[in-house]
Amino acid sequence: MKEKIQQRLKEDTAFFLLSIMAGLMIAIGGIAYLYITSFDSNSMGLKLAGSLAFTVGLTFIILLEFKLFTGLNCDLIKINYKEWYKLIVSFLGNCVGCWFGALLIFKTPIGNNVIARAIELYQSKLSLDWWVTLLSGVMCGIFITMAVLGGRACKSSKTASIIAVVFPIFIFVILGVEHSVANQVYFAFAILGGKPFTGQIVLSTFLVMIGNILGGILIPVVLFAKDKLLKNSKDNSDNEQLIKDDENTNK
């Protein structure tokens, strides 16, 4: 029993460390996006460049198999419910990584630009209606699942895998949909820049997390239902064939 507990503790510690690294990757992508778009947040060219830069973080998360909260959601229906606690562990680790990344950069020469842009996003995100925040989180969850499943489908080719990951991430950043972990980067910089930590941040984060989960499981649920339907259809066809064979034998 003691050995099992020690083994579980080691596994959970490793999982938490990988979650921190995932958060740091998101922070790196988020910082690049904030800095590039800080020069003109309305410039489509800079938004495109910033969104492309953001994909670096997610790409390395998937290639190195770091544990990102939103990336784990697509496997939620496959794992034992007793393992669901890892979603919370991953999110907490992701937050640590995000804050660590923010603390590394906010006092550097580019810090002011990054903080100013983060405050813009802080204000816009907290001003959204709750249902808009939730639905935006759902849409983001769908894009993340597309990236994760697409990367897995192309695992035999690293180039194809990276392309499958980059495009959904690039689009969701361009659209500005709500990513629960990336938001922690923006909130971290805004707070370091003097903005208060409020209950609105907690509520917004909770709504986005729920949305990310719902969006994250949507495609897997549909694929699971498809497999079940096709399996039942095949079983029925096989049964019908057996009946016909029996009838022919009796004749």
Side-chain angles (χ1 to χ4, degrees):
M1 183 66 177
K2 184 179 179 181
E3 291 180 356
K4 287 184 178 180
I5 293 175
Q6 289 177 337
Q7 182 61 29
R8 173 51 68 92
L9 184 60
K10 289 178 181 179
E11 291 174 358
D12 287 348
T13 300
F15 184 88
F16 186 67
L17 291 174
L18 292 175
S19 299
I20 292 175
M21 292 307 300
L24 180 59
M25 294 299 103
I26 293 294
I28 290 171
I31 290 166
Y33 173 78
L34 290 171
Y35 181 68
I36 291 171
T37 58
S38 68
F39 295 99
D40 184 356
S41 59
N42 294 317
S43 168
M44 181 52 69
L46 292 180
K47 284 184 179 180
L48 290 171
S51 299
L52 184 60
F54 185 90
T55 65
V56 171
L58 269 296
T59 301
F60 275 90
I61 287 171
I62 293 176
L63 291 178
L64 300 178
E65 298 184 354
F66 292 149
K67 305 303 180 182
L68 181 67
F69 168 76
T70 49
L72 296 173
N73 291 332
C74 65
D75 293 324
L76 196 58
I77 65 171
K78 295 181 181 179
I79 62 176
N80 190 302
Y81 72 91
K82 292 181 180 179
E83 299 291 315
W84 287 1
Y85 74 92
K86 288 187 176 180
L87 284 181
I88 302 302
V89 174
S90 68
F91 184 75
L92 293 175
N94 294 163
C95 289
V96 172
C98 288
W99 270 90
F100 179 64
L103 289 170
L104 287 177
I105 206 77
F106 89 105
K107 283 294 186 180
T108 64
I110 69 168
N112 289 335
N113 296 55
V114 171
I115 287 173
R117 177 67 175 125
I119 289 175
E120 286 182 26
L121 292 175
Y122 168 98
Q123 293 170 335
S124 66
K125 289 179 182 297
L126 296 186
S127 66
L128 295 174
D129 291 331
W130 70 268
W131 58 272
V132 175
T133 300
L134 178 64
L135 293 178
S136 184
V138 171
M139 180 59 73
C140 181
I142 294 171
F143 279 118
I144 296 296
T145 299
M146 288 169 61
V148 173
L149 297 184
R152 290 177 184 173
C154 303
K155 203 166 185 179
S156 59
S157 169
K158 287 293 184 184
T159 302
S161 180
I162 290 172
I163 292 172
V165 170
V166 165
F167 275 102
I169 305 306
F170 178 75
I171 295 171
F172 102 66
V173 179
I174 281 289
L175 295 179
V177 291
E178 300 296 308
H179 187 284
S180 55
V181 180
N183 281 0
Q184 304 316 303
V185 180
Y186 310 143
F187 291 151
F189 276 112
I191 291 168
L192 291 171
K195 288 295 180 180
F197 179 85
T198 66
Q200 279 184 296
I201 291 178
V202 177
L203 177 59
S204 175
T205 298
F206 176 74
L207 290 171
V208 176
M209 288 175 70
I210 296 300
N212 289 166
I213 291 172
L214 293 176
I217 65 174
L218 180 60
I219 295 175
V221 165
V222 172
L223 293 176
F224 176 79
K226 179 210 72 173
D227 290 340
K228 282 291 185 182
L229 290 170
L230 293 180
K231 182 178 184 300
N232 291 337
S233 177
K234 184 177 183 302
D235 290 342
N236 290 335
S237 297
D238 290 343
N239 289 335
E240 290 175 2
Q241 186 61 45
L242 286 172
I243 292 172
K244 288 179 180 179
D245 291 343
D246 288 339
E247 290 176 349
N248 291 332
T249 300
N250 292 332
K251 288 177 181 179

